[in-house]
Amino acid sequence: MENVPAFSATEESGRKKFALPVDSEHKATEFRLFSVAAPHMRAFHLSWISFFACFVSTFAAPPLLPIIRDDLDLTATEIGNAGIAAVSGAVFARVAMGSACDLFGPRLASAALTLLTAPAVYCSSIASGPSTFLIVRFFTGFSLATFVSTQFWMSSLFSAPVVGTANGVAGGWGNLGGGATQLIMPLGFELILKMGSDKFTAWRIAFFIPGLFQMLCAYGIFFLGQDLPDGNYAQLHKSGDKHKDKFSKVLYHAVTNYRGWILALTYGYCFGVELAIDNIIAQYFYDRFNVSLHTAGIIAASFGLANFFSRPGGGMLSDIVARRYGMRGRLWALWSVQTLGGIFCIILGKVGTLGVSVAVMLIFSVFVQAACGLTFGVVPFVSRRSLGIISGMTGAGGNVGAVITQVIFFRGSRYTTEKGIMLMGVMIIACTSVITLIHFPQWGGMFTKPSKGITEEDYYLSEWTEAEKEKGFHKASLKFSENSRHEGGRRVGITESPDTHK
Amino acid sequence: MAIRAFLFVLSCLAAATCRGATFSSLQQTLIVTASPQPAQVLKAGEDEITVTWSLNSTFPAGVDSSYKTVTIKLCYAPISQKDRGWRKTVDNLVKDKTCQHKIVANKPYIFPSNNTFTSTVLRDVPTATYFIRAYAQNSEGDEVAYGQTTDSHKAVNLFEIQAITGRHVSLDIASICFSAFSIVSLFGFFFLEKRKSKASESK
C-alpha cells in the first residue's frame, strides 16, 4: 500500500500554489488573520461573518423586547418561552448540519441553511401575537447551526497546529453577534424611528437589517467559498478524489464514539451557559441593581462582546498547550478553564453590589467562552470520518445545555435569578468533571497514559472496514493520522512515523 | 440590614430624584372623570379621550394651595399587569411603572377653570385595559395629590385601548417577497452547483 496517495487530476495540470504553507492534506499550517487569500483565509472570513450574522438574527429580538412586548401584548412567560424556543431549534439543526457537512460540504450546507432561515427573520416583521413571535424565534434559531459548518470548515482547511486557533477565532467572532445585536438593533430602531415611523412599525422594519445581512452572507459563501483546499465537494466527488460517504456509516461512527457524547455534555456547560446568560443577564442587572434598561443592555452586550478575544484565546491556548503536552494538555486546559468558569459563576450569584457583579461577570465570561474555544481544540481529533456529526453533536449539546439550564433555573419563580446563577455554577463544575473520562488510545487522557502500541493510524483507520480500505476510501484519514502525530506531545516529532502502516 | 441601607442609598443615587415620594402618602383630593365608558374599546391614534378633574369639596379649603400643575396619565389595570413585571405597581413613585403613558403633562392648575383636557390616544399606546389617574404637582414637580377614574382596588370603570398593529401591507409584501427571493436563490445555487460538477466531470 502506497504511503502517498496518487494526486488528483488538478495536480496533473500543474502543482496548486497556496498562499499559506500547507501540510500533505493541503491544510494550512499557519493562521494569518489579515489575509483573505483563497481558499483558507477567505473561507475563514466568510464563515465567521455569516455565523456572526446568524447570531445577530437569533438574538435580534431581546434588545427590542420593551417595544415588541407592548406591540404583541406578550406576558413574561410568553417572552421566556420564545427565548427557550430560540435556542432549542438549533439542537436538532446542529446535528443535521453535521451530517450535511459530511455529505455535501460546509459551503453548500451553510449557504443553504442561512438562506432557509432568512425568511424566518423577514417574517418576524409580520408577527402578530405570542404564537407567531415564538414561531419566528424558533425557526430563526435554526440558523445557529451554522456554527457546526464553521467549525467543520475550519477543521477541513487548517492543520492540527492551528486548528484550535482557527476554530476559536471563527467561533468567537461569530458569537460576538450575540453582543453586537444588543447595540445594532436598538440603533437601527432609533434611525427608523427618526425617519418618521411609529414605534410599532419601526421595530418591524429593523428586522430587515439582520435578514439582508444573512442573505448577503449566504451569497458570499456560495460564490467565494470553497469546501476543501483542493476544490468543492461536488467537483471532488465527481472527479473521484473525494469519496462520497454513506450517511448511515458516518452516523454510526459518530454515535458509537463515547468521546463525542462527553464533549456534547460539557459543551452544554460552557456554550449552553453562555446562551442562557445572553437571554437573562440584561433583566438580571435591571431588576437586581435597578440600572436603566439602556445600561442593562450595554452590560449584556459586553458579556457577548468578550467573545472577541476570549473564545479565540481558548482556541490558541489549546494549540499552545498541545505543542508541549499534546492532547493530554488540551484536555487538562479544557477541564481547568471550564471548572474555573463554574467557580466564578457561583461567585456571580453571590455578590450583591453592582460594580463587583459586573467585574465578576466579565471574568466569568472570559473563562466560559475560553472553555468553548478549548472544546473545539479537542473535537477535530475525535473522529475523522464523522467529523461533521461529532461537531454537530457537540454543538447541539451546547444548545441542549442552554434549554435545560433555562428550564431548571431561570423559569418561573422557583429560584431567584441570583440563586439560579449560583446553582448553575455548581452544575457546571459537576458536569465538567466527566472530561476526566476521555481517553484516546494513541495519546492517553487526563489521568491515563497512551495505550501501548496504538498509533494515530490505528485509531482513525478503525473507522473504515477492510473492504472500504481496499477501495481507498480512507485516504483522507490516513493523511490526517500523519498530520496529527504531534498531539502526542513534544516527545513525538512529526518526522517520526511508525512503520506499521496498513 | 446594612446591605439594605446601602442598596437604598445606591438606588437613590441611581434615581433622578431622591425625595422618596410614595403613592400611599398622597391624598386623593381630586375627582377625575373621563369620556371612555366602562368596557369601551378605544382605538389608538384615532379615538379621543376627554378628562375632567375637580377638587373634592369635602376636603378643607386651601388643601390645593400647593398645587401648581396637573399631569394626567393612562394607567394599567391589574389584569394588564399580570405576568408583566415591567408594569409593576410599586409604592415609590419614582420606580412605579403603573402609569407609563401621559395624556397631558404639567398642565397649569387653575381650578375651577381649565380643568378639562381632550386628546387623541397616541399611536404608541399598547393594547391593554386602563384607567386614568391625575397627579397634582407642587412647584418642584413632585406629586402631592391624585385622583383616578377607578376605585382603590382598580376594579371598576376600566376601559380598553386597541393599539395600532404597526403592520402595513407594504411591509407584509416586502417580507414575503424577500423570503421568496431567498428560497428561489437557494434553488438557483443548487442548480448552478449541479451544472458546475457536470462540467468538471466532462473535462
Side-chain angles (χ1 to χ4, degrees):
Chain A
M1 177 64 208
E2 266 187 48
N3 199 358
V4 171
F7 283 121
S8 64
T10 47
E11 287 290 328
E12 286 164 4
S13 52
R15 201 157 241 287
K16 258 203 163 136
K17 283 256 189 276
F18 293 108
L20 274 67
V22 295
D23 65 13
S24 68
E25 287 178 278
H26 294 164
K27 291 186 185 179
T29 53
E30 269 178 38
F31 180 76
R32 286 192 202 145
L33 192 56
F34 296 107
S35 155
V36 285
H40 308 96
M41 292 315 299
R42 184 170 299 181
F44 164 75
H45 289 292
L46 286 169
S47 64
W48 83 256
I49 291 176
S50 66
F51 183 41
F52 177 93
C54 294
F55 243 99
V56 168
S57 304
T58 304
F59 293 100
L64 296 182
L65 268 176
I67 316 294
I68 299 176
R69 68 192 178 196
D70 277 345
D71 189 359
L72 303 182
D73 201 19
L74 304 174
T75 63
T77 307
E78 284 160 351
I79 293 175
N81 287 339
I84 293 176
V87 295
S88 55
V91 172
F92 168 73
R94 283 181 165 203
V95 182
M97 188 57 145
S99 334
C101 284
D102 279 324
L103 302 171
F104 305 113
R107 173 178 153 266
L108 265 190
S110 63
L113 181 67
T114 312
L115 276 181
L116 278 173
T117 48
V121 184
Y122 290 126
C123 290
S124 307
S125 307
I126 52 184
S128 55
S131 2
T132 41
F133 183 63
L134 186 128
I135 290 173
V136 293
R137 280 212 80 187
F138 176 67
F139 284 109
T140 306
F142 276 53
S143 66
L144 286 188
T146 46
F147 165 74
V148 177
S149 57
T150 302
Q151 302 292 289
F152 183 98
W153 210 352
M154 297 300 100
S155 303
S156 307
L157 292 173
F158 290 90
S159 187
V162 289
V163 73
T165 305
N167 276 341
V169 183
W173 288 10
N175 279 22
L176 218 54
T181 194
Q182 311 264 4
L183 303 169
I184 293 175
M185 292 305 283
L187 197 67
F189 171 75
E190 291 289 330
L191 280 171
I192 296 168
L193 205 61
K194 281 212 162 66
M195 295 198 284
S197 273
D198 294 313
K199 270 196 204 168
F200 290 170
T201 304
W203 76 262
R204 295 171 183 277
I205 300 177
F207 269 82
F208 276 78
I209 300 173
L212 284 167
F213 188 15
Q214 250 188 255
M215 238 169 72
L216 290 172
C217 287
Y219 290 164
I221 290 179
F222 181 77
F223 288 112
L224 301 172
Q226 192 176 297
D227 288 313
L228 291 166
D230 296 324
N232 288 316
Y233 270 40
Q235 295 160 284
L236 297 176
H237 284 157
K238 289 273 193 244
S239 66
D241 292 317
K242 186 167 189 339
H243 151 67
K244 191 168 182 172
D245 212 343
K246 268 174 92 175
F247 174 68
S248 53
K249 295 269 167 144
V250 172
L251 183 65
Y252 174 78
H253 286 291
V255 300
T256 51
N257 195 329
Y258 76 93
R259 299 166 197 86
W261 293 102
I262 291 184
L263 289 172
L265 171 64
T266 60
Y267 196 58
Y269 287 91
C270 54
F271 182 64
V273 161
E274 186 186 332
L275 289 184
I277 296 273
D278 272 337
N279 264 336
I280 62 118
I281 198 73
Q283 272 171 295
Y284 172 67
F285 278 95
Y286 182 76
D287 291 334
R288 192 164 184 210
F289 301 105
N290 291 310
V291 295
S292 70
L293 204 68
H294 187 66
T295 308
I298 294 181
I299 297 176
S302 64
F303 176 83
L305 291 175
N307 264 301
F308 181 73
F309 58 87
S310 51
R311 188 172 175 139
M316 279 184 236
L317 179 65
S318 191
D319 288 336
I320 290 173
V321 178
R323 268 181 236 158
R324 191 181 159 86
Y325 299 106
M327 176 54 67
R328 296 179 75 183
R330 291 189 195 263
L331 291 170
W332 269 99
L334 171 58
W335 176 84
S336 15
V337 168
Q338 191 156 321
T339 303
L340 277 167
I343 292 174
F344 280 104
C345 191
I346 295 176
I347 298 176
L348 179 64
K350 289 269 183 201
V351 295
T353 53
L354 178 62
V356 180
S357 197
V358 174
V360 173
M361 183 205 74
L362 287 172
I363 299 175
F364 163 63
S365 72
V366 170
F367 279 95
V368 99
Q369 290 159 7
C372 296
L374 282 155
T375 307
F376 277 84
V378 175
V379 165
F381 299 100
V382 170
S383 162
R384 183 60 188 83
R385 186 171 191 182
S386 312
L387 172 64
I389 300 193
I390 294 278
S391 302
M393 272 166 61
T394 309
N399 281 64
V400 171
V403 172
I404 292 177
T405 310
Q406 283 177 100
V407 168
I408 298 178
F409 300 124
F410 300 115
R411 196 180 186 225
S413 35
R414 192 143 160 247
Y415 300 112
T416 57
T417 309
E418 51 265 32
K419 183 122 194 250
I421 292 177
M422 191 216 64
L423 291 173
M424 183 169 72
V426 174
M427 199 158 180
I428 294 174
I429 298 179
C431 292
T432 305
S433 61
V434 298
I435 294 178
T436 49
L437 300 174
I438 296 183
H439 172 77
F440 284 90
Q442 71 275 37
W443 300 316
M446 274 175 75
F447 297 111
T448 51
K449 287 219 173 89
S451 310
K452 269 200 149 65
I454 309 280
T455 64
E456 288 76 15
E457 278 77 3
D458 295 324
Y459 179 74
Y460 291 110
L461 296 185
S462 65
E463 296 180 314
W464 302 92
T465 64
E466 283 305 324
E468 289 165 336
K469 283 186 211 167
E470 236 144 77
K471 292 185 202 158
F473 292 162
H474 66 301
K475 287 180 197 164
S477 293
L478 199 60
K479 286 193 225 178
F480 183 73
S481 309
E482 225 174 275
N483 292 321
S484 66
R485 195 90 58 207
H486 42 57
E487 291 304 312
R490 195 163 277 182
R491 51 182 179 79
V492 182
I494 298 180
T495 49
E496 240 187 79
S497 40
D499 296 303
T500 48
H501 274 292
K502 290 223 175 68
Chain B
M1 187 59 195
I3 295 175
R4 277 226 198 114
F6 178 58
L7 273 177
F8 175 73
V9 170
L10 206 66
S11 58
C12 266
L13 289 169
T17 63
C18 195
R19 278 155 269 224
T22 61
F23 183 70
S24 45
S25 69
L26 301 182
Q27 282 184 302
Q28 190 170 5
T29 60
L30 300 177
I31 299 175
V32 183
T33 52
S35 54
Q37 298 304 308
Q40 185 184 357
V41 179
L42 299 173
K43 290 218 184 81
E46 284 178 30
D47 292 330
E48 288 185 337
I49 296 183
T50 303
V51 185
T52 308
W53 66 94
S54 57
L55 191 63
N56 192 338
S57 49
T58 59
F59 284 90
V63 70
D64 61 347
S65 55
S66 60
Y67 303 175
K68 290 288 176 278
T69 51
V70 170
T71 295
I72 307 177
K73 293 184 178 177
L74 272 172
C75 306
Y76 293 110
I79 190 169
S80 289
Q81 291 175 300
K82 199 166 161 219
D83 203 13
R84 292 177 173 90
W86 56 92
R87 294 178 182 171
K88 210 162 140 195
T89 297
V90 164
D91 205 27
N92 183 338
L93 282 170
V94 172
K95 298 215 197 108
D96 182 40
K97 301 265 198 318
T98 320
C99 307
Q100 293 184 21
H101 303 277
K102 292 197 180 103
I103 296 178
V104 62
N106 301 321
K107 191 167 156 65
Y109 177 84
I110 315 171
F111 190 69
S113 60
N114 202 24
N115 66 341
T116 305
F117 187 80
T118 305
S119 74
T120 317
V121 180
L122 290 176
R123 289 172 68 82
D124 63 355
V125 174
T127 300
T129 308
Y130 294 89
F131 63 93
I132 292 175
R133 184 181 287 167
Y135 287 109
Q137 292 150 304
N138 62 15
S139 49
E140 273 142 47
D142 299 332
E143 295 85 358
V144 289
Y146 78 99
Q148 58 192 25
T149 56
T150 185
D151 63 355
S152 59
H153 299 290
K154 298 184 260 182
V156 298
N157 219 8
L158 305 169
F159 61 96
E160 284 171 37
I161 293 182
Q162 184 74 37
I164 60 167
T165 66
R167 290 175 61 181
H168 291 279
V169 176
S170 51
L171 205 57
D172 292 355
I173 294 177
S175 293
I176 307 233
C177 282
F178 276 91
S179 305
F181 188 67
S182 301
I183 306 290
V184 167
S185 21
L186 181 61
F187 283 112
F189 284 3
F190 284 139
F191 175 70
L192 277 174
E193 195 69 5
K194 260 208 145 71
R195 251 199 9 200
K196 248 196 256 172
S197 68
K198 280 215 178 90
S200 71
E201 189 185 16
S202 57
K203 268 202 194 121

